[in-house]
Amino acid sequence: MTGRFSPVAGSPLQGIPEPASYGDPQRNGLSSDDLFDGITEHLFFTLGRRASGASRHDLYLALSHAVRDRLMTRHLAYKDALRAQRPKAVAYLSAEFLIGPQLGNNLLMLGIQRQAAEALARFGISDIEEVLDVEEEPGLGNGGLGRLAACFLESLASLEIPATGYGIRYEFGIFDQLIQDGWQVEITDKWLKGGWPWELVHPDKSCRVGFGGHTETFHDDGGHHRVRWVPAVHAIGIPHDVPVLGYRVNTCDRLRLWRAEAAEAFDFQTFNAGDFYGAVEEKVGCETLSKVLYPNDGTDSGRRLRLQQQYFFVSCSLQDMLRNLHQRGIAVQEFPQHWAVQLNDTHPAIAVAELMRLFLDEHRLGWDLAWDLTSRSIAYTNHTLLPEALETWDLGLFASLLPRHLELIYEINARFLQRVRMAFPNEPAMLSRVSIIDERGGKAVRMANLATVAAHHVNGVAALHSTLVESDLLPDFARLHPERFTNVTNGVTPRRWMALANPPLNDLLIETLGEGWPARPDALRGLEALQNDSGFLERWAACKLACKRRLAALIDRQSRLLVDPTSLFDVQVKRIHEYKRQHLNALQVVVQYLRIKHGITNGLVPRTVIFGGKAAPGYFMAKLIIRFINGIAEVINNDPETRGLAKVVFLADYNVKLGEKVYPAADLSEQISTAGLEASGTGNMKFTMNGALTIGTLDGANVEIREQVGADNFFLFGHSTDEIAAMRAGYRPWEVLSTMPLLAEAFALIEQGHFSNGDRETFRPLVDNLRGFDPYFVLADFQDYLRAQESVSNTWVDRGRWNTMSLLNTARSGFFSSDRSIREYAEKIWNVQPLLIAMTNGH
């Protein structure tokens, strides 16, 4: 068949046709007049404004409400279809959903961008970007984990699969990043301050969540032994729904975010007694649960709050699913037939114990049945190979907050370990490795083990990562149940990251591949036929240059720095972490700077090296790397000898809005993490889709990108995972440094304070760490990294060859669409089918 899904033969997705029309305004029943009327009505009736006095922010809110009205017709039709047909739905549990701005994306999904621009023109807006730029970035996520969740929700809707994303409605995001004197400074992310028109509040769907207290045993009317949890305090979870529309389809799924309130917001007697703070103490404490994304877990109170947050949204979500079954007249015993619960990393892993509690204590099921339902419902995605990133919770903390759940975990663990003893009677050491309870030192609950014990499937997020999960991270579990382990390589949505973020390229692709290409990412393969068409390659290069000029203007506005759009834009944007090795890139820049100072400029090409990303507030070394990059930028950008050859930029407060400008403008994508440590990466995919060439290690999804685009279109360097493992025992970074005179000179320059205004101590921790320990093998890979960078420069000189390589990267990037990822989840893990929504006249 031909169509959007292209599923394997015999899959539940086979036979579903693609929409008959893409981007046809008549199909949506919308015109610019309709939108103008909608904007005018919402200005008057919703905002209390007259059109003549409307600000850009007013117009943004009014247009958003008018668009949301159109989403609601589809969302209500979707809910009607769910009630009538009772399909199985996906429940995607994630602590983050980095959904990005919504207005532009929803205009694209509905196919009404032109109509919206025409409607706004009647209010004196000459460029729709003036209104789109007003929208705040929703502070609901931080990095790749949250952005992946957002891409997956969009693809679920675009593939017409019933789904609900469950998370927390954070009042404040992780933080806004300022750069002051080269250092990262964190300020409060008040993303809701101007109002957010995309959510619908449902107080009638609130859930009650307990914490602390004690448990009691009793016998029910049938004489069965039961346990009752008596919490010390309760919080109320109030759902806020965000519609998630698919691309040019009628399916409108939802993101349900929980906001916390106190069960008793105000103690009148305490207030009258004069204790004014005590009267609202419970309210303040409970509302903290949804106050901020990722509170600092460096303190006991911070860790306590994180565990409370995780349990809060998981309990609300599972209660919501069970209530949904009850309202549709479906027995609780049919839970696995109607909900596929996916845990996005370990943050929601407490779902295992909570679902067991709900089955056992609230619905009075027996243990065996409750466990069978739980294990048939839950699947777990692992996102990290770093042992320190696998969550554990101190037993004392866990018992104080969730006493009933700890009892259940003890019982789950005891039964599981007995099975292990029977399966491997001669391997007693295995018991301590697979136990949910870590008995070493201070006892703790291992959340990854809990999720793995219960899940019917455990998947990694890239081929290499999934192999390492089985061989290195969870090898004993893989021996116990090899059939449960699988791989689903991550993907990103081409709708936001190409069609929306890259208008010049989107126009060219529509002209070349047809209006419907964003729903059929495999159609990008059609570009391969044009790789030798010089006229088309010139147009391809012109699209890239337009995006680079747009980013250059943004850099000028943000940093007061002029960069040359015709220079090679060399980009590394991602969370700042030592294993991602932004300092490897920075050291390479210092070495190139020294070459310029020594007059050795042969082979160098004009480059603008662009960094962006946030460091965790408590991560000193990551924040020092940011200071290092900004110190280098200050020197290089003000040195007359580097003019025309090098500029360095650090983009502050990197987020989705900024990413939409950066990915389309990049010529070179820096994916240089230590081999074996990056689970997948998704930024690498966004760069590839937009025609950037990758310089990278064989790590995460880089392996598959290289396989897809071709080794000749990828700049490979560095030691492999196996080579890194073999080096660990006898690695002496100081000896490696002594073999590279120019890098040794760069170290000396850093130690002299050249990039820190003469302060010799600023970067000493960074230099000493690299020379003495180098835990991420920066020095081991440095020489080969320089070789690969020389190859980049040599290729850049031959612009025709570069443009062909760029085109082939895009042409072969369809595999990295999140549609493909979701299709694999649907077929291999969830066993869900699309649900087509029929509507008439767009209503």
Side-chain angles (χ1 to χ4, degrees):
M1 62 169 281
T2 59
R4 201 175 30 217
F5 298 104
S6 302
V8 298
S11 81
L13 301 183
Q14 194 171 27
I16 303 301
E18 63 187 41
S21 173
Y22 294 97
D24 180 359
Q26 297 306 315
R27 180 177 180 276
N28 292 305
L30 291 173
S31 66
S32 59
D33 288 340
D34 294 327
L35 283 176
F36 175 80
D37 291 343
I39 294 169
T40 303
E41 290 175 3
H42 279 291
L43 281 172
F44 191 87
F45 293 108
T46 305
L47 303 179
R49 298 279 196 276
R50 294 194 182 277
S52 58
S55 66
R56 286 180 175 79
H57 188 264
D58 294 333
L59 290 170
Y60 154 70
L61 289 174
L63 176 57
S64 297
H65 280 291
V67 171
R68 194 185 77 175
D69 291 344
R70 276 69 188 175
L71 302 187
M72 284 304 99
T73 60
R74 289 157 177 78
H75 186 60
L76 292 174
Y78 159 79
K79 292 172 71 174
D80 292 341
L82 286 180
R83 281 191 290 268
Q85 301 187 41
R86 295 186 170 190
K88 186 175 185 179
V90 175
Y92 198 84
L93 272 61
S94 179
E96 297 183 41
F97 287 94
L98 194 58
I99 59 175
Q102 293 295 286
L103 177 55
N105 195 64
N106 283 323
L107 293 174
L108 173 70
M109 293 294 162
L110 288 166
I112 55 171
Q113 292 164 297
R114 177 183 56 79
Q115 294 92 319
E118 290 173 356
L120 288 173
R122 295 166 68 176
F123 293 94
I125 302 296
S126 58
D127 184 353
I128 192 173
E129 291 295 326
E130 297 176 34
V131 171
L132 296 180
D133 284 344
V134 169
E135 185 168 3
E136 286 284 337
E137 174 100 5
L140 300 170
N142 175 38
L145 185 79
R147 187 53 234 170
L148 179 78
C151 285
F152 278 6
L153 285 189
E154 192 259 49
S155 281
L156 280 160
S158 293
L159 295 178
E160 300 173 282
I161 296 173
T164 296
Y166 283 109
I168 298 177
R169 181 188 181 270
Y170 301 103
E171 183 177 346
F172 304 111
I174 187 165
F175 60 84
D176 282 339
Q177 181 194 57
L178 299 179
I179 301 298
Q180 294 182 357
D181 299 323
W183 292 95
Q184 170 180 292
V185 176
E186 303 95 22
I187 62 172
T188 305
D189 175 13
K190 302 176 182 176
W191 69 278
L192 285 167
K193 63 180 181 293
W196 198 44
W198 299 105
E199 61 183 358
L200 293 167
V201 188
H202 295 286
D204 58 314
K205 301 294 185 183
S206 296
C207 294
R208 189 176 177 89
V209 181
F211 296 98
H214 63 277
T215 61
E216 300 173 345
T217 60
F218 67 99
H219 288 85
D220 63 19
D221 294 340
H224 301 102
H225 177 82
R226 298 291 181 187
V227 177
R228 178 189 300 115
W229 178 27
V230 185
V233 65
H234 286 89
I236 303 298
I238 301 173
H240 293 238
D241 286 357
V242 182
V244 181
L245 182 65
Y247 182 74
R248 314 292 166 90
V249 295
N250 291 324
T251 298
C252 188
D253 289 334
R254 69 179 177 185
L255 170 59
R256 175 157 280 188
L257 302 169
W258 300 97
R259 175 173 58 86
E261 282 193 357
E264 188 64 49
F266 186 78
D267 188 333
F268 195 73
Q269 290 184 342
T270 302
F271 182 85
N272 281 343
D275 184 359
F276 306 132
Y277 176 78
V280 295
E281 184 175 7
E282 183 177 340
K283 171 181 170 65
V284 172
C286 287
E287 291 182 358
T288 302
L289 294 175
S290 56
K291 213 70 173 176
V292 65
L293 169 65
Y294 291 152
N296 188 348
D297 60 0
T299 64
D300 290 342
S301 59
R303 287 184 60 77
R304 185 179 186 87
L305 178 55
R306 278 212 190 188
L307 179 55
Q308 286 178 303
Q309 283 184 329
Q310 292 177 11
Y311 176 65
F312 165 72
F313 96 84
V314 163
S315 179
C316 287
S317 303
L318 292 172
Q319 290 182 56
D320 191 56
M321 292 176 225
L322 287 164
R323 176 174 54 199
N324 177 274
L325 293 186
H326 176 73
Q327 291 174 344
R328 291 191 285 159
I330 299 171
V332 67
Q333 290 85 351
E334 296 183 36
F335 188 92
Q337 285 79 48
H338 293 275
W339 286 107
V341 181
Q342 188 69 37
L343 309 182
N344 192 28
D345 217 358
T346 55
H347 306 118
I350 190 62
V352 175
E354 174 64 0
L355 192 52
M356 284 295 290
R357 184 190 73 81
L358 291 168
F359 285 148
L360 291 168
D361 298 354
E362 302 298 327
H363 293 275
R364 305 293 177 89
L365 303 182
W367 182 277
D368 291 341
L369 177 57
W371 182 250
D372 176 66
L373 298 176
T374 298
S375 59
R376 286 196 291 125
S377 302
I378 289 177
Y380 161 51
T381 300
N382 174 276
H383 281 279
T384 183
L385 293 167
L386 299 175
E388 64 269 21
L390 294 177
E391 282 190 311
T392 61
W393 296 108
D394 174 77
L395 278 187
L397 169 63
F398 204 98
S400 69
L401 282 176
L402 303 171
R404 176 56 176 149
H405 299 76
L406 187 57
E407 292 176 355
L408 292 169
I409 288 171
Y410 280 145
E411 182 65 19
I412 293 168
N413 198 43
R415 292 175 181 239
F416 170 66
L417 292 181
Q418 182 58 27
R419 284 175 38 226
V420 176
R421 289 188 191 96
M422 294 174 66
F424 298 94
N426 299 318
E427 298 189 38
M430 181 188 286
L431 297 174
S432 64
R433 295 196 299 266
V434 301
S435 174
I436 299 170
I437 306 300
D438 187 352
E439 302 283 355
R440 300 167 301 176
K443 295 183 178 181
V445 181
R446 296 162 162 164
M447 301 308 285
N449 287 22
L450 175 63
T452 304
V453 167
H456 57 80
H457 281 86
V458 177
N459 73 280
V461 291
L464 174 63
H465 172 240
S466 294
T467 298
L468 294 173
V469 166
E470 291 188 52
S471 64
D472 295 1
L473 191 68
L474 302 169
D476 296 310
F477 291 101
R479 289 175 63 198
L480 280 163
H481 291 289
E483 74 284 355
R484 295 185 182 179
F485 286 78
T486 189
N487 173 64
V488 180
T489 298
N490 283 344
V492 299
T493 169
R495 271 79 64 178
R496 179 179 285 275
W497 295 113
M498 295 178 73
L500 180 65
N502 197 334
L505 180 59
N506 185 44
D507 290 343
L508 183 60
L509 292 177
I510 288 173
E511 178 185 332
T512 308
L513 303 175
E515 183 79 26
W517 80 263
R520 298 177 289 107
D522 287 346
L524 293 170
R525 280 279 178 182
L527 294 171
E528 288 197 43
L530 299 166
Q531 61 182 294
N532 297 315
D533 185 330
S534 58
F536 186 83
L537 289 173
E538 287 179 6
R539 297 180 67 191
W540 185 267
C543 291
K544 178 66 72 173
L545 183 58
C547 293
K548 292 171 72 174
R549 284 175 172 151
R550 180 179 66 170
L551 180 59
L554 186 151
I555 291 170
D556 183 31
R557 291 194 302 270
Q558 185 184 98
S559 306
R560 292 290 181 259
L561 179 66
L562 293 175
V563 300
D564 180 6
T566 66
S567 66
L568 190 158
F569 275 21
D570 179 351
V571 184
Q572 187 176 18
V573 287
K574 56 184 70 225
R575 178 168 56 95
I576 309 296
H577 196 291
E578 289 170 274
Y579 89 83
K580 294 179 183 287
R581 301 202 297 191
Q582 285 90 351
H583 48 337
L584 170 60
N585 191 354
L587 284 171
Q588 179 265 149
V589 172
V590 174
V591 166
Q592 304 298 2
Y593 169 69
L594 283 172
R595 289 184 62 188
I596 294 171
K597 298 297 285 184
H598 295 332
I600 311 172
T601 58
N602 56 301
L604 295 182
V605 298
R607 287 202 195 207
T608 300
V609 184
I610 300 170
F611 296 87
K614 296 179 180 180
Y619 191 175
F620 169 74
M621 194 62 77
K623 297 176 84 167
L624 187 60
I625 289 171
I626 291 176
R627 175 65 183 88
F628 183 44
I629 293 167
N630 282 295
I632 294 169
E634 183 180 6
V635 170
I636 289 180
N637 296 341
N638 291 289
D639 189 328
E641 292 184 50
T642 66
R643 191 167 297 142
L645 280 176
K647 288 284 179 69
V648 179
V649 180
F650 188 91
L651 293 170
D653 203 32
Y654 187 73
N655 55 19
V656 173
K657 287 182 74 171
L658 198 47
E660 290 175 354
K661 305 294 191 297
V662 171
Y663 291 115
D667 294 305
L668 185 68
S669 163
E670 298 270 354
Q671 306 300 328
I672 59 178
S673 54
T674 310
L677 294 183
E678 185 73 82
S680 170
T682 51
N684 47 7
M685 302 172 186
K686 297 163 195 167
F687 282 118
T688 299
M689 283 183 169
N690 282 282
L693 277 57
T694 301
I695 181 170
T697 54
L698 288 176
D699 194 29
N702 289 356
V703 177
E704 288 152 285
I705 289 176
R706 185 168 179 262
E707 290 173 355
Q708 291 290 325
V709 306
D712 292 341
N713 301 306
F714 186 107
F715 299 101
L716 177 67
F717 79 95
H719 291 85
S720 69
T721 301
D722 290 341
E723 290 168 341
I724 291 286
M727 270 198 299
R728 288 192 183 278
Y731 181 49
R732 294 179 173 84
W734 57 91
E735 293 180 358
V736 176
L737 180 61
S738 69
T739 67
M740 294 180 283
L742 205 55
L743 182 58
E745 184 181 349
F747 268 57
L749 199 64
I750 296 164
E751 290 176 307
Q752 292 165 16
H754 191 75
F755 303 105
S756 49
N757 299 313
D759 188 338
R760 295 171 176 262
E761 297 301 314
T762 300
F763 299 126
R764 185 173 299 281
L766 178 62
V767 171
D768 288 351
N769 179 266
L770 287 171
R771 183 187 285 120
F773 304 99
D774 193 17
Y776 299 102
F777 298 90
V778 169
L779 303 187
D781 279 351
F782 189 81
Q783 193 65 52
D784 203 29
Y785 182 49
L786 276 187
R787 176 202 55 76
Q789 291 285 9
E790 289 176 7
S791 180
V792 168
S793 295
N794 292 336
T795 306
W796 177 255
V797 173
D798 184 350
R799 200 58 61 86
R801 181 185 171 203
W802 186 281
N803 291 338
T804 299
M805 294 168 70
S806 171
L807 179 142
L808 290 175
N809 267 260
T810 298
R812 297 168 180 174
S813 67
F815 175 83
F816 300 104
S817 165
S818 46
D819 292 357
R820 188 268 314 151
S821 301
I822 290 302
R823 191 181 305 118
E824 291 185 14
Y825 275 103
E827 296 172 3
K828 293 163 59 174
I829 297 177
W830 299 332
N831 190 29
V832 295
Q833 301 183 30
L835 174 66
L836 273 67
I837 309 298
M839 297 176 63
T840 58
N841 298 322
H843 298 288

